[in-house]
Amino acid sequence: MSPNPVSSNPILRRTLVWSAVAMVALAVVAGLVGLVVGGGEGLVSGLLGVVLAMLFLGITALSILIANRWFGDPLYVQFFFAIVLGGWLLKLGLFVVIMIVLSGQPWIHPMVFFLSIVAGVIVSLGIDVVVLTRMRLPNVSDASLPTEAPSDRAPGVELPTVVPEDRAPGRHHRVRNESSEDGPAEDSARS
């Protein structure tokens, strides 16, 4: 494992922190709305929906953060995709099992449960958009450019260190004006 941090780690950490804070606030709102709409069943359904939304949406960012710990390892790409895909499969499996278990429970208010999950997903996606648009991440990050090796140069060839003035950038379209007193050099060559 490499001690070098990946440049996306602060973004993922910030997303997780903001999502956790927003989900606590959303849990309070969903719990209160559920309590008003469905009593105790609505309260539990609202809280459970928000917790499940936070759990499912947090698994992806957490799996990427865990996978980034192997950055710099020769098998980093394989570890990264194995961990992230494993996180997605875990989410899918958990979702199916939880929905099967909760489908027939009498203490679940279905509409409050559904709306609290949808609200959790919308809030989390909004946070992701805000965090990602405000962060400054270079297009090419975590890449190191190769250095020049002695074998990169042909033997006996010396490259110029200064570009001649006539070959400088922006001067390729200019034509030299070598005129005599009689007129342009082109006119005297024609006669």
Side-chain angles (χ1 to χ4, degrees):
M1 289 195 285
S2 172
N4 297 336
V6 178
S7 59
S8 64
N9 282 355
I11 297 170
L12 294 170
R13 284 189 194 110
R14 183 170 289 175
T15 301
L16 282 174
V17 168
W18 284 17
S19 294
V21 170
M23 290 301 161
V24 168
L26 186 61
V28 170
V29 171
L32 289 175
V33 170
L35 185 62
V36 169
V37 171
E41 296 170 355
L43 172 67
V44 171
S45 299
L47 293 175
L48 187 60
V50 171
V51 168
L52 288 177
M54 178 62 181
L55 174 72
F56 291 141
L57 296 171
I59 287 175
T60 300
L62 192 60
S63 67
I64 294 171
L65 281 172
I66 291 169
N68 281 343
R69 301 187 90 191
W70 279 273
F71 179 73
D73 191 279
L75 295 175
Y76 168 68
V77 174
Q78 289 84 355
F79 284 143
F80 181 86
F81 285 111
I83 292 171
V84 173
L85 181 61
W88 288 340
L89 292 174
L90 174 70
K91 284 193 323 186
L92 179 64
L94 280 175
F95 180 77
V96 169
V97 168
I98 289 173
M99 290 305 134
I100 288 173
V101 168
L102 294 178
S103 66
Q105 299 299 324
W107 49 271
I108 293 289
H109 192 280
M111 187 55 71
V112 173
F113 182 68
F114 171 74
L115 292 177
S116 63
I117 288 178
V118 170
V121 169
I122 290 172
V123 167
S124 179
L125 290 176
I127 289 171
D128 290 347
V129 167
V130 169
V131 168
L132 291 176
T133 56
R134 290 189 179 181
M135 294 300 291
R136 300 292 182 241
L137 185 65
N139 290 335
V140 179
S141 63
D142 308 326
S144 60
L145 297 176
T147 58
E148 184 178 4
S151 63
D152 289 343
R153 292 185 178 238
V157 175
E158 192 63 37
L159 297 175
T161 56
V162 177
V163 177
E165 188 174 320
D166 63 334
R167 302 180 113 196
R171 296 184 179 251
H172 63 278
H173 64 283
R174 293 186 185 171
V175 178
R176 286 188 176 192
N177 189 5
E178 297 176 14
S179 61
S180 62
E181 283 108 38
D182 298 333
E186 295 174 17
D187 291 350
S188 63
R190 286 187 219 163
S191 53

